[in-house]
Amino acid sequence: EVQLAESGGGLVQPGGSLRLSCAASGFTVSPNYMSWVRQAPGKGLEWVSIIYPDGATYYADSVKGRFTISRDKSKSTLYLQMNSLRVEDTAIYYCGVSGSPNLGDSWGQGTLVTVSS
Amino acid sequence: EIVLTQSPATLSLSPGERATLSCRASQSVSSYLAWYQQKPGQAPRLLIFDAANRATGIPARFTGSGSGTDFTLTISSLEPEDFAVYYCQQGSHWPTFGQGTKVEIK
């Protein structure tokens, strides 16, 4: 069974940094497309970042240059390094997996990031 | 960026009724269109991919159709567990979501 478990969320001041983790089980991370999607409180969904099986990475314009997606194959873990955080980055962050690009077959339960002074 | 517009914003129906949800893209996305269901406090759940293919374990009462710019998700007979928010998402270019349609109990 595919399982994804996010961690690392919390309260951070504007301009601060945070690293999110997503522990994967029931499948192998590297041959799949892994993504981060976020949802601001009471709002809709926004795709944040994707890492392809070949290691290529892509980002939404809203986070480009500030966020970095990466994976550790040996630990079956996906990461999202978030720097220069802004109030508008406040959201629940979900990690997802798919065998196809730009799709989310399964998602974790999410971790809440709050950016506030 | 491709903009997806969902209608209606809210659909008030009774269990057993048919639900028809629409999603319109600002430019053609071919058949790269997915539908997700989200319940309060839960992650999104993939229902339909490539416009018309049900994801694993999704009941047959969920049907997706359309191509190009106009898409529809139909729930043939609403079950109590189907009352939720539904999002369409395109994967033709950088992925984007619609704003959602809430299916609520009438």
Side-chain angles (χ1 to χ4, degrees):
Chain A
E1 180 189 2
V2 171
Q3 291 192 353
L4 296 162
E6 302 91 339
S7 60
L11 175 63
V12 62
Q13 292 187 337
S17 297
L18 214 53
R19 188 177 82 155
L20 306 183
S21 300
C22 173
S25 59
F27 69 100
T28 305
V29 167
S30 52
N32 287 287
Y33 298 82
M34 302 291 298
S35 296
W36 290 96
V37 159
R38 68 185 180 184
Q39 187 169 36
K43 302 296 184 182
L45 298 162
E46 179 188 16
W47 215 288
V48 173
S49 184
I50 305 168
I51 185 165
Y52 276 34
D54 65 0
T57 58
Y58 302 90
Y59 302 92
D61 287 343
S62 58
V63 307
K64 203 172 292 182
R66 301 188 298 121
F67 289 12
T68 302
I69 190 172
S70 63
R71 66 190 177 200
D72 184 327
K73 300 175 187 179
S74 63
K75 294 182 179 179
S76 292
T77 302
L78 179 73
Y79 301 100
L80 186 67
Q81 177 67 44
M82 304 186 296
N83 298 330
S84 303
L85 282 161
R86 305 168 180 168
V87 170
E88 55 265 34
D89 295 319
T90 294
I92 297 172
Y93 286 72
Y94 298 100
C95 70
V97 60
S98 179
S100 302
N102 299 348
L103 192 65
D105 295 350
S106 297
W107 300 93
Q109 284 307 300
T111 187
L112 176 62
V113 172
T114 303
V115 185
S116 174
S117 54
Chain B
E1 174 180 302
I2 294 178
V3 176
L4 299 179
T5 302
Q6 292 187 240
S7 61
T10 303
L11 204 48
S12 298
L13 295 168
S14 300
E17 289 193 297
R18 181 185 189 92
T20 303
L21 289 67
S22 295
C23 177
R24 175 165 289 179
S26 59
Q27 65 186 78
S28 177
V29 298
S30 185
S31 294
Y32 298 109
L33 195 288
W35 290 93
Y36 298 84
Q37 176 193 68
Q38 188 178 35
K39 296 179 181 179
Q42 295 187 17
R45 174 194 182 198
L46 178 66
L47 300 175
I48 302 287
F49 65 96
D50 292 346
N53 295 293
R54 274 187 296 273
T56 303
I58 302 303
R61 64 181 180 271
F62 291 92
T63 302
S65 63
S67 67
T69 60
D70 290 295
F71 300 87
T72 301
L73 174 69
T74 301
I75 310 171
S76 59
S77 178
L78 283 164
E79 297 288 339
E81 61 267 28
D82 298 336
F83 292 92
V85 178
Y86 293 82
Y87 293 95
C88 58
Q89 176 249 316
Q90 63 80 21
S92 174
H93 295 75
W94 176 256
T96 53
F97 291 92
Q99 81 280 16
T101 289
K102 182 179 182 180
V103 178
E104 65 176 24
I105 300 177
K106 186 174 181 180

